[in-house]
Amino acid sequence: MKFNRVIGIVAKYILLTGGGVLLYILAAKYALAERGYFAAGGEVFFLLLPVLYYVVATVIRDYIRDIKDRKKH
């Protein structure tokens, strides 16, 4: 794998992680104001943004590859 491609992939996941943390902080502040007390709720799933992105991208990539393989046979 080329070095530039690795840097691009690492940068993408750093951005996804940063975005997930930012969204979590914003959602946790909103939830605290709404509930009146601190609790971990659905906003925690924003921290899983990089993992969810990877899983969804892999599933879509595999699905497209399967469709292309069916057309060949």
Side-chain angles (χ1 to χ4, degrees):
M1 193 180 288
K2 292 186 178 182
F3 184 70
N4 289 337
R5 182 162 164 77
V6 171
I7 295 295
I9 292 170
V10 170
K12 177 174 41 176
Y13 283 100
I14 287 173
L15 286 173
L16 283 168
T17 302
V21 169
L22 180 65
L23 286 171
Y24 168 75
I25 291 170
L26 294 173
K29 285 182 181 180
Y30 176 77
L32 176 62
E34 194 68 27
R35 293 183 196 123
Y37 59 92
F38 180 76
E43 65 272 8
V44 174
F45 287 107
F46 284 124
L47 297 174
L48 296 175
L49 191 62
V51 175
L52 294 174
Y53 175 83
Y54 174 77
V55 170
V56 170
T58 302
V59 168
I60 291 172
R61 203 174 309 120
D62 289 345
Y63 183 71
I64 291 171
R65 188 178 330 133
D66 287 346
I67 290 173
K68 288 180 180 178
D69 286 345
R70 282 188 212 157
K71 288 182 181 179
K72 289 180 182 178
H73 298 292

